[in-house]
Amino acid sequence: MDKLMQDANRFVSDMVEGLVLAHPDFYEKVEGVNVVKRKDGVSGKVGLVSGGGSGHEPAHAGFIGEGMLSAAVCGEVFTSPTPDMVLEGIKAADGGKGVLLVVKNYAGDVMNFDMAKELAEMEGIEVDTVVVNDDIAIKKESDRRGVAGTVFVHKVAGAAAQEGRSLSEVKAVAEKVISRVRSMGMALSPCYMPESGKPGFELHPDEMEIGIGIHGEKGVERKAIAPVEDIVRELVDRLTNEVTDKKIALMLNGMGGTPISELYLTYKYVHEQLIAKGYDIVRPYVGNYMTSLEMHGFSLTLLPVDDEILGLLDAPTKAIGFHS
Amino acid sequence: MDKLMQDANRFVSDMVEGLVLAHPDFYEKVEGVNVVKRKDGVSGKVGLVSGGGSGHEPAHAGFIGEGMLSAAVCGEVFTSPTPDMVLEGIKAADGGKGVLLVVKNYAGDVMNFDMAKELAEMEGIEVDTVVVNDDIAIKKESDRRGVAGTVFVHKVAGAAAQEGRSLSEVKAVAEKVISRVRSMGMALSPCYMPESGKPGFELHPDEMEIGIGIHGEKGVERKAIAPVEDIVRELVDRLTNEVTDKKIALMLNGMGGTPISELYLTYKYVHEQLIAKGYDIVRPYVGNYMTSLEMHGFSLTLLPVDDEILGLLDAPTKAIGFHS
Amino acid sequence: MKLTTNDLRTALLNAADKMEEHKDELTDLDREIGDGDHGINMSRGFQAVKKELEAKQDFADLGELSKLVGMTLIKTVGGASGPLYGTIFVKFANTWKGVGEAEGDALVSGFEEALEGIKTRGKADAGEKTMIDVWTPFINALKSEGDLSHAIDEGLAHSKTIMATKGRASYFGEATKGVQDPGALSSSLLLNELKEALHD
Amino acid sequence: MKLTTNDLRTALLNAADKMEEHKDELTDLDREIGDGDHGINMSRGFQAVKKELEAKQDFADLGELSKLVGMTLIKTVGGASGPLYGTIFVKFANTWKGVGEAEGDALVSGFEEALEGIKTRGKADAGEKTMIDVWTPFINALKSEGDLSHAIDEGLAHSKTIMATKGRASYFGEATKGVQDPGALSSSLLLNELKEALHD
Ligand SMILES: Nc1ncnc2c1ncn2[C@@H]1O[C@H](COP(=O)(O)OP(=O)(O)O)[C@@H](O)[C@H]1O
Ligand SMILES: Nc1ncnc2c1ncn2[C@@H]1O[C@H](COP(=O)(O)OP(=O)(O)O)[C@@H](O)[C@H]1O
Ligand SMILES: [Mg+2]
Ligand SMILES: [Mg+2]
Ligand SMILES: [Mg+2]
Ligand SMILES: [Mg+2]
């Protein structure tokens, strides 16, 4: 297996250590667990915690910083972190005004974050939760996964917290984003789990997967690799079926092994097709935001915006993983 | 071949179009050629032009912006751009105070940029050139390739130009960086040329290449894939043989297909080994800066700094591809 | 039927070995209809349990033992299976607090509480192709003094045929029919060891 | 020996076809000891030349034809080979300005100027395993009225045996011995067509 690593069991802890060593003035690791927090603290504001399995870098630790997350909980690769870890994240993010948990909609994440919330409440910390489910590859809404749209939730809720809004206000704007944001992804090649050395799915080099998850879950459809214009059309058509408001922010997100050249090349076709359908792309974000190890592919996220969301998207953030 | 693209012949032009569409207020494309320039212009300052073959994104167009490059010339994939293209870049970067060309040391780049310089001088534009040769994988100094160290030259020279320094002063500080900066890279897997669909080199999945170039050139040594600590030791030992000043800026650069998780994981070992050797890493940069299509691997760059270089590294830049 | 503290401890040590033996199989099933980590998760969790149980031989009662196991699983497994397996043992601990040996109704109610716990935590029910489909027939057999082995096997076999509607497997809909649910398989491994610990 | 404008035009059209035929071979050699684009570069450049020459049948003289070819190559090939092949034709153009047919010393000096141009632009010399190692014996044979085909073949064969010290191939040092230089091969394709155009 082609991976830069020392020992699969230390994949996450080595990564977290490296991140903190590279940005010593910015991050702090919570002793004994793979939880990272803002070194400058969050006192007097609502704290924002996210996380989940690792392997989605720069999510979630890369979105820590003024104007975005307060702490990130880094589970094993593609494995939801345990409640005690999440509790450490909540404590690290507690600035006295309550803590909002931004959870992606996976059974494991929901259960572990819920248990942590119960533990934190026993310690007297006010905690609330939002669950992101933007992945339209899954038909049933209650089963929809949280994918790249989560990053918009981090950004908008983080800016609202930074403005000094209350926990319920921050939660409300996070839910506004969640109710609007929709995503779908595809892969040209799978990702390989560090420990098992196996791919999430077996894929013939001439085939691609449409509607993949971000944990190596295979897609909902397998096809011959097509010219990018056709791939984009499939995703754009499905997304525009659901997202009918025309003024949108957009995220074209690389899956980890996709070179920037291909992302920008792809963006050309995304742009053309959405413009042709009458959309007004007021904020395009192109880059790696919510990845899946070294998977080669992309996801497309559409978020209808109003003035409130736009203002919060544009608010400055120090998070090193969020660039516009 | 696993690539998001429409047509190999339009790989570069589609990418450039997508880049400009995604950042319409920031970039402008020169009509008819794959040359990108700052929309806000460079009047009254020294202009900075770089470029070369494409496939190194975010280099070079991603380094355009106040405080870095004025224009970037995007040749075909891994193929030096032609003199007439470079001439367009020079014209686009000309703000009346002369233009500095930052060229990577490849026969093709040197010849094409030289011819463009001659053409520009015939049109009355003052042009000077620096040639970056930081890749220590090559023994003979005159043959050394320009690789990721070029990004430090862009940053430092760009900040100097922004300060209002003269062409000869900007050139002098660029040459100071060039005389100090050293790099070396490795790959776990090759990259595939969009047109031929072939890899730069054939590599068994269990093998890696040490001392690769950034154009799919095979390395100077082929070995069994080793734990990252050993890979890092090989590069660190070779680099510290040449770079003996201890106060350094460092770039740990992904080759395009390397997930951020592996880069940070790798940084842990880089950091430990350099600290153990007495180095003081005052500015670590970890990310994708000078890539090689979807190659999976990294390069390591060391730049001994003084107060002047440090100040210029720290100066703000609007370039979207340069994050600290 | 009776369960002693020491027998439960032995059963858990054996279960840990079984998880190790079937680690790759569990992971491969999870690659089919999940995210390819179930064997890795179970191995990490049960190896941690093994370490705890090897460090401490004597437990006051079933409650103390179950609590340690539950907390260890919750803290080490992660994913969906961590809270679920953890909940099982936390529920055992609550029901068997201060109980050195459980039999009859006390024995059954520990298992019933555990199953309720899974269902509440996972918002799931029987017939959704999860571990619940092995625990349910096991408990029915325990109540009716039926054949426990047979119940486990039947549950496992039936769960393989049905369509997943909970957890990651539910993403794959119809395609999950005919594929064994990894959590059902790991539960069958655990229950087979618990069954060995039960004797008249 | 004589070269007419029309024959040179025909030779270049034929050379364009030859480059197309050998495109993959040139690219594969460049993958061995370079960056895998030489066939792609030559194809792009010579197809552009072909298009120009098909659009314009009549040229005033060798100079006008060579200038168009040189500028086209410079503008389309890129890489190291673009400026070098471009220079060859720009030098032809300078030497044969206003010359409808070149023979004797005038013919030779066009080629000599071209070779000097390559050497100056590329800061290279014979024996470094580049295209120069095919051009040099060709010109020597032209001067001494020797066998041009033989000279090309010999140059190509010899260049294969030696070690690269210029261009990307030089990175691979000793390993380049025994591998054909792609630029030497493309030059042999071009020179073989030019040779066909020369007659008494
Ligand atoms: N909501 C749920 N209720 C009951 N069991 C569940 C639920 N979700 C998942 N499971 C069980 O957990 C197993 C998957 O565990 P694991 O792979 O370790 O976690 P994850 O799905 O988070 O990767 C499934 O095979 C299934 O038996
Ligand atoms: N400095 C030089 N002088 C003469 N010929 C050279 C020089 N550098 C390269 N070449 C020739 O150019 C060929 C490579 O051309 P090409 O692959 O198109 O360009 P690049 O090396 O820029 O990718 C080599 O095979 C060699 O014959
Ligand atoms: Mg998982
Ligand atoms: Mg090239
Ligand atoms: Mg799983
Ligand atoms: Mg080449």
Side-chain angles (χ1 to χ4, degrees):
Chain A
M1 183 186 27
D2 285 352
K3 278 197 199 296
L4 295 164
M5 68 178 180
Q6 188 64 14
D7 175 351
N9 287 315
R10 266 165 39 202
F11 190 90
V12 178
S13 59
D14 276 0
M15 171 189 84
V16 167
E17 264 187 71
L19 180 76
V20 177
L21 285 171
H23 306 279
D25 301 331
F26 193 76
Y27 291 124
E28 199 172 305
K29 187 179 170 303
V30 175
E31 184 66 31
V33 280
N34 290 323
V35 173
V36 184
K37 64 171 181 173
R38 268 174 70 174
K39 189 151 194 169
D40 58 358
V42 277
S43 96
K45 315 247 180 204
V46 170
L48 222 69
V49 176
S50 195
S54 291
H56 308 303
E57 294 66 28
H60 299 82
F63 301 132
I64 292 176
E66 194 181 295
M68 263 178 110
L69 301 181
S70 318
V73 187
C74 311
E76 290 302 307
V77 172
F78 297 167
T79 300
S80 177
T82 58
D84 52 310
M85 287 174 69
V86 180
L87 176 62
E88 292 299 329
I90 295 171
K91 286 186 193 165
D94 178 24
K97 299 282 177 181
V99 174
L100 183 69
L101 307 183
V102 181
V103 181
K104 301 197 291 318
N105 190 32
Y106 299 97
D109 281 335
V110 170
M111 290 189 255
N112 285 291
F113 277 77
D114 267 358
M115 290 172 86
K117 176 172 183 283
E118 292 160 17
L119 295 172
E121 284 166 347
M122 279 160 48
E123 299 199 18
I125 306 176
E126 195 190 356
V127 180
D128 215 333
T129 304
V130 293
V131 180
V132 188
N133 63 340
D134 53 321
D135 187 357
I136 65 162
I138 309 298
K139 287 215 184 67
K140 215 169 102 194
E141 265 196 55
S142 61
D143 283 356
R144 284 185 172 178
R145 306 176 279 215
V147 290
T150 312
V151 182
F152 280 141
V153 180
H154 295 159
K155 180 67 187 73
V156 168
Q162 178 63 23
E163 275 186 1
R165 299 196 197 178
S166 72
L167 179 55
S168 65
E169 288 166 340
V170 173
K171 181 182 177 178
V173 77
E175 299 215 300
K176 181 158 115 180
V177 172
I178 292 170
S179 71
R180 294 168 171 229
V181 69
R182 297 290 183 277
S183 301
M184 186 154 166
M186 64 77 58
L188 295 173
S189 61
C191 56
Y192 292 75
M193 295 284 290
E195 180 150 357
S196 69
K198 290 181 180 167
F201 45 83
E202 309 280 350
L203 191 61
H204 189 275
D206 295 339
E207 289 179 327
M208 62 179 181
E209 292 265 336
I210 305 284
I212 43 124
I214 56 171
H215 303 95
E217 302 102 324
K218 66 175 71 123
V220 292
E221 213 182 328
R222 176 169 295 197
K223 300 186 162 186
I225 290 184
V228 68
E229 188 166 11
D230 301 341
I231 300 173
V232 166
R233 182 166 303 111
E234 178 148 359
L235 299 193
V236 163
D237 285 353
R238 291 181 67 156
L239 283 163
T240 52
N241 264 341
E242 298 218 7
V243 177
T244 49
D245 285 348
K246 294 288 159 67
K247 190 178 172 188
I248 55 170
L250 176 154
M251 180 172 283
L252 176 58
N253 168 58
M255 299 309 295
T258 317
I260 305 254
S261 48
E262 292 180 32
L263 286 182
Y264 277 115
L265 185 162
T266 302
Y267 182 69
K268 182 194 152 184
Y269 295 94
V270 170
H271 184 93
E272 282 177 0
Q273 293 181 22
L274 284 169
I275 297 298
K277 287 183 165 222
Y279 285 78
D280 181 15
I281 309 168
V282 293
R283 293 294 178 280
Y285 298 84
V286 180
N288 291 302
Y289 296 93
M290 179 68 76
T291 63
S292 186
L293 294 173
E294 76 281 53
M295 189 182 268
H296 192 158
F298 70 97
S299 66
L300 189 59
T301 299
L302 307 187
L303 169 63
V305 294
D306 57 11
D307 288 348
E308 182 189 28
I309 293 178
L310 208 53
L312 294 167
L313 278 178
D314 287 347
T317 175
K318 292 191 178 155
I320 57 171
F322 189 84
H323 328 109
S324 43
Chain B
M1 182 185 28
D2 286 353
K3 279 197 199 295
L4 294 164
M5 67 179 182
Q6 188 63 14
D7 174 351
N9 287 316
R10 266 164 39 201
F11 190 90
V12 177
S13 59
D14 276 1
M15 170 189 85
V16 167
E17 264 186 71
L19 180 76
V20 177
L21 285 171
H23 306 279
D25 301 331
F26 194 77
Y27 291 124
E28 200 173 303
K29 188 178 169 306
V30 175
E31 184 64 33
V33 279
N34 290 323
V35 173
V36 184
K37 64 171 181 174
R38 268 174 70 175
K39 190 152 194 168
D40 59 359
V42 276
S43 97
K45 313 248 180 203
V46 169
L48 223 68
V49 176
S50 196
S54 291
H56 307 304
E57 294 66 28
H60 300 83
F63 301 131
I64 292 175
E66 193 180 295
M68 263 178 111
L69 301 182
S70 318
V73 187
C74 311
E76 289 303 308
V77 172
F78 297 166
T79 299
S80 177
T82 59
D84 51 309
M85 288 175 67
V86 180
L87 176 62
E88 292 299 330
I90 294 172
K91 286 186 193 164
D94 178 23
K97 297 283 176 181
V99 174
L100 184 69
L101 308 182
V102 181
V103 182
K104 303 197 291 315
N105 190 32
Y106 299 97
D109 282 334
V110 170
M111 289 188 256
N112 285 291
F113 277 77
D114 267 358
M115 290 171 87
K117 176 173 183 283
E118 292 161 17
L119 296 172
E121 283 167 346
M122 278 160 48
E123 300 199 16
I125 306 176
E126 195 189 356
V127 180
D128 215 333
T129 305
V130 294
V131 180
V132 189
N133 63 340
D134 54 321
D135 187 357
I136 66 162
I138 309 298
K139 287 212 184 71
K140 215 168 102 195
E141 265 196 54
S142 60
D143 283 356
R144 284 186 171 177
R145 304 175 281 214
V147 290
T150 311
V151 182
F152 281 141
V153 180
H154 295 160
K155 180 68 187 69
V156 168
Q162 179 61 23
E163 276 185 2
R165 297 196 199 178
S166 71
L167 179 55
S168 65
E169 288 166 339
V170 174
K171 180 182 178 177
V173 77
E175 299 216 300
K176 182 159 113 180
V177 173
I178 292 170
S179 71
R180 294 168 172 229
V181 69
R182 297 290 183 278
S183 302
M184 187 153 165
M186 64 78 57
L188 295 173
S189 60
C191 55
Y192 291 75
M193 295 284 290
E195 179 152 358
S196 68
K198 290 181 180 168
F201 45 84
E202 308 280 351
L203 191 62
H204 189 276
D206 296 340
E207 289 179 327
M208 61 179 180
E209 292 265 336
I210 306 282
I212 42 122
I214 56 172
H215 304 94
E217 302 102 324
K218 66 174 71 124
V220 293
E221 214 180 329
R222 175 169 296 196
K223 299 186 162 186
I225 290 185
V228 68
E229 188 166 12
D230 302 341
I231 299 174
V232 165
R233 181 165 305 110
E234 178 148 359
L235 298 193
V236 163
D237 285 353
R238 291 181 67 156
L239 283 163
T240 52
N241 264 341
E242 298 218 8
V243 177
T244 49
D245 285 349
K246 294 289 159 67
K247 189 177 173 188
I248 54 170
L250 176 155
M251 180 172 284
L252 176 57
N253 169 58
M255 299 309 297
T258 317
I260 304 256
S261 48
E262 292 180 32
L263 286 182
Y264 277 115
L265 185 162
T266 302
Y267 182 69
K268 182 193 152 184
Y269 295 94
V270 170
H271 184 93
E272 283 177 2
Q273 292 181 23
L274 283 168
I275 297 298
K277 288 185 165 221
Y279 285 78
D280 181 16
I281 309 169
V282 293
R283 294 293 179 281
Y285 299 84
V286 180
N288 291 302
Y289 295 93
M290 180 68 75
T291 64
S292 186
L293 293 172
E294 77 280 53
M295 188 182 271
H296 192 158
F298 71 97
S299 67
L300 189 59
T301 299
L302 306 187
L303 169 63
V305 294
D306 57 13
D307 289 348
E308 183 190 26
I309 293 178
L310 209 53
L312 295 167
L313 278 179
D314 288 347
T317 175
K318 293 191 176 154
I320 58 171
F322 188 84
H323 328 108
S324 44
Chain C
M1 288 292 188
K2 194 163 78 176
L3 181 65
T4 69
T5 304
N6 201 44
D7 288 346
L8 178 56
R9 181 176 167 279
T10 308
L12 288 164
L13 286 168
N14 292 338
D17 292 343
K18 279 283 170 338
M19 297 298 172
E20 219 51 25
E21 245 171 63
H22 292 266
K23 181 175 173 182
D24 289 349
E25 187 184 354
L26 294 170
T27 294
D28 284 341
L29 288 173
D30 201 30
R31 287 172 64 223
E32 277 292 306
I33 56 172
D35 61 347
D37 61 0
H38 189 59
I40 299 166
N41 294 344
M42 295 312 286
S43 160
R44 188 174 49 245
F46 275 85
Q47 287 307 112
V49 166
K50 188 175 175 180
K51 214 172 133 191
E52 294 288 343
L53 299 191
E54 279 171 348
K56 181 170 159 80
Q57 314 258 343
D58 293 312
F59 289 87
D61 50 50
L62 287 168
E64 191 194 36
L65 170 60
S66 298
K67 186 168 177 197
L68 178 68
V69 172
M71 294 314 293
T72 303
L73 291 174
I74 287 174
K75 284 189 182 177
T76 57
V77 177
S81 50
L84 295 171
Y85 278 107
T87 296
I88 289 167
F89 286 90
V90 168
K91 294 294 178 180
F92 282 171
N94 290 344
T95 324
W96 297 331
K97 204 168 189 170
V99 178
E101 304 180 355
E103 58 186 325
D105 283 354
L107 180 69
V108 169
S109 75
F111 280 91
E112 283 182 329
E113 289 295 320
L115 179 56
E116 270 316 303
I118 302 178
K119 289 181 176 176
T120 310
R121 184 56 73 194
K123 303 191 182 69
D125 226 321
E128 304 207 76
K129 197 184 185 90
T130 69
M131 56 176 72
I132 296 172
D133 295 314
V134 181
W135 285 82
T136 306
F138 179 89
I139 292 168
N140 289 339
L142 194 66
K143 284 200 283 196
S144 63
E145 289 174 35
D147 182 339
L148 295 177
S149 284
H150 183 74
I152 297 170
D153 292 348
E154 284 280 281
L156 194 59
H158 175 66
S159 74
K160 183 167 174 175
T161 63
I162 60 182
M163 190 175 89
T165 54
K166 269 279 142 36
R168 285 176 204 283
S170 67
Y171 310 148
F172 307 111
E174 289 285 337
T176 59
K177 288 186 182 167
V179 184
Q180 186 70 69
D181 175 63
L185 180 58
S186 61
S187 281
S188 78
L189 300 175
L190 173 62
L191 287 171
N192 268 313
E193 295 308 320
L194 294 182
K195 174 206 74 189
E196 292 297 319
L198 297 171
H199 36 72
D200 297 309
Chain D
M1 287 290 188
K2 195 163 77 177
L3 182 64
T4 69
T5 304
N6 201 44
D7 287 346
L8 177 58
R9 181 175 166 280
T10 308
L12 288 164
L13 287 168
N14 293 337
D17 292 342
K18 278 285 169 341
M19 296 299 172
E20 218 52 24
E21 245 171 63
H22 293 266
K23 181 176 174 182
D24 289 349
E25 188 185 353
L26 293 170
T27 294
D28 284 341
L29 288 174
D30 200 32
R31 288 172 63 224
E32 278 293 305
I33 56 172
D35 62 348
D37 61 0
H38 189 59
I40 298 165
N41 295 343
M42 294 312 287
S43 160
R44 190 173 48 245
F46 274 84
Q47 286 308 111
V49 166
K50 188 175 175 179
K51 215 171 134 193
E52 294 288 343
L53 299 191
E54 280 171 347
K56 182 171 159 81
Q57 313 258 343
D58 292 313
F59 288 87
D61 51 50
L62 287 168
E64 191 194 34
L65 170 61
S66 299
K67 188 169 175 195
L68 178 68
V69 173
M71 293 315 291
T72 303
L73 291 174
I74 288 174
K75 283 189 183 177
T76 56
V77 178
S81 49
L84 294 170
Y85 278 107
T87 296
I88 288 167
F89 286 92
V90 168
K91 293 295 179 179
F92 282 172
N94 290 344
T95 324
W96 296 331
K97 204 168 187 172
V99 177
E101 303 181 353
E103 58 184 325
D105 283 355
L107 179 68
V108 169
S109 75
F111 280 91
E112 282 182 330
E113 288 296 319
L115 179 56
E116 270 316 301
I118 303 177
K119 290 182 177 177
T120 309
R121 185 55 74 195
K123 300 189 183 73
D125 226 319
E128 304 207 76
K129 197 184 185 92
T130 69
M131 55 177 72
I132 295 173
D133 295 315
V134 180
W135 285 82
T136 306
F138 180 88
I139 292 168
N140 288 339
L142 193 66
K143 283 200 284 196
S144 63
E145 289 173 35
D147 181 338
L148 295 177
S149 285
H150 183 74
I152 296 169
D153 292 348
E154 284 280 281
L156 195 60
H158 174 67
S159 73
K160 183 167 175 176
T161 63
I162 61 181
M163 190 174 90
T165 54
K166 269 280 144 33
R168 286 176 203 284
S170 68
Y171 310 149
F172 307 111
E174 289 285 336
T176 59
K177 288 185 182 169
V179 184
Q180 186 71 67
D181 175 62
L185 180 58
S186 61
S187 281
S188 78
L189 299 175
L190 172 62
L191 287 171
N192 267 312
E193 296 308 322
L194 293 183
K195 175 207 73 188
E196 291 297 318
L198 295 171
H199 37 73
D200 297 308

